[in-house]
Amino acid sequence: DQQVKQNSPSLSVQEGRISILNCDYTNSMFDYFLWYKKYPAEGPTFLISISSIKDKNEDGRFTVFLNKSAKHLSLHIVPSQPGDSAVYFCAASTTFSSGSARQLTFGSGTQLTVLP
Amino acid sequence: GAVVSQHPSWVICKSGTSVKIECRSLDFQATTMFWYRQFPKQSLMLMATSNEGSKATYEQGVEKDKFLINHASLTLSTLTVTSAHPEDSSFYICSASRPLEQPQHFGDGTRLSIL
């Protein structure tokens, strides 16, 4: 059973427009959510995160929105740039029992292509 | 700069060989590191949690005797794929986070190809 779902395997947008990537989760115990960007043959790179006590977090061109009642989060990239083309993974976590580290559960990823 | 270093980045070897992959935290001590596996065009699947000074915690379905994890120091965890077979070919990635901080930082991964 997938606890974190990214239902769109791919998304294409025009340069300068907004990219919206979506993610749904089922485990109500998740209290921290992250977005990672990944290029082929590389490890994921952290982009932005949000705690469950917030509903929005913004960092430059990237904004993450969290709707706890709907168990849904989204990543907005505006304006989109060709360099943003990559696979974007949504991840969720709960507090590890020791409080020192958190296991991440990943979605299946969305390939974003920004067209020049 | 890089926070987590993983080595080697690519391994090609014969079936039956054992392969060791290293994961290092570069400027912090990591009591916990995580090992993931990714198949082509699929998500990252957590294999195990590596705990410094104690046994690793494996996820359901991951063979402990096949994937040996050693976390002997606060900056180094190793994953050894024992007696590797072609079905073990995959992309293996480790991660670590600074103590009491988020987020997890990932190594660049190891592409393992078993012939």
Side-chain angles (χ1 to χ4, degrees):
Chain A
D1 178 37
Q2 272 189 294
Q3 297 188 65
V4 179
K5 298 179 183 180
Q6 293 176 255
N7 292 318
S8 298
S10 63
L11 173 68
S12 292
V13 299
Q14 208 67 37
E15 180 179 5
R17 306 294 289 269
I18 184 171
S19 296
I20 300 176
L21 298 105
N22 293 303
C23 179
D24 298 294
Y25 61 96
T26 58
N27 188 345
S28 57
M29 297 300 292
F30 288 141
D31 59 3
Y32 193 74
F33 304 89
L34 309 91
W35 284 94
Y36 285 86
K37 176 180 178 180
K38 187 180 181 301
Y39 295 111
E42 292 184 11
T45 302
F46 170 73
L47 274 178
I48 192 169
S49 63
I50 188 167
S51 164
S52 60
I53 63 173
K54 294 185 176 181
D55 55 19
K56 177 182 175 181
N57 188 26
E58 190 172 352
D59 183 3
R61 296 186 297 115
F62 302 93
T63 303
V64 56
F65 295 92
L66 175 63
N67 182 334
K68 288 193 296 292
S69 60
K71 294 190 175 66
H72 176 85
L73 64 154
S74 60
L75 174 68
H76 293 210
I77 306 173
V78 58
S80 301
Q81 300 172 355
D84 296 330
S85 298
V87 177
Y88 288 78
F89 287 98
C90 161
S93 72
T94 59
T95 303
F96 208 58
S97 59
S98 68
S100 64
R102 295 168 177 253
Q103 291 184 333
L104 294 179
T105 301
F106 281 85
S108 53
T110 297
Q111 171 70 58
L112 172 66
T113 303
V114 180
L115 305 168
Chain B
V3 176
V4 174
S5 172
Q6 191 171 337
H7 178 81
S9 57
W10 198 301
V11 180
I12 302 174
C13 58
K14 294 181 179 180
S15 184
T17 307
S18 292
V19 179
K20 180 185 284 188
I21 303 169
E22 293 185 348
C23 181
R24 294 180 185 274
S25 56
L26 295 182
D27 61 356
F28 65 96
Q29 294 180 333
T31 55
T32 302
M33 293 184 177
F34 300 96
W35 286 96
Y36 295 83
R37 182 174 181 176
Q38 185 188 25
F39 291 104
K41 298 189 178 181
Q42 293 189 26
S43 185
L44 282 76
M45 300 301 296
L46 180 66
M47 297 175 65
T49 302
S50 173
N51 304 298
E52 188 271 333
S54 65
K55 291 183 179 179
T57 305
Y58 289 83
E59 295 301 299
Q60 192 173 11
V62 178
E63 297 177 58
K64 300 178 184 180
D65 296 332
K66 161 68 82 175
F67 300 100
L68 300 179
I69 291 173
N70 186 298
H71 195 150
S73 78
L74 287 170
T75 59
L76 174 64
S77 174
T78 61
L79 168 67
T80 301
V81 184
T82 62
S83 187
H85 292 283
E87 59 266 28
D88 298 323
S89 298
S90 189
F91 192 58
Y92 294 86
I93 316 174
C94 69
S95 73
S97 57
R98 289 188 170 89
L100 303 179
E101 288 187 13
Q102 292 290 340
Q104 284 184 32
H105 297 279
F106 286 81
D108 276 341
T110 298
R111 171 72 59 194
L112 177 60
S113 298
I114 308 298
L115 306 177

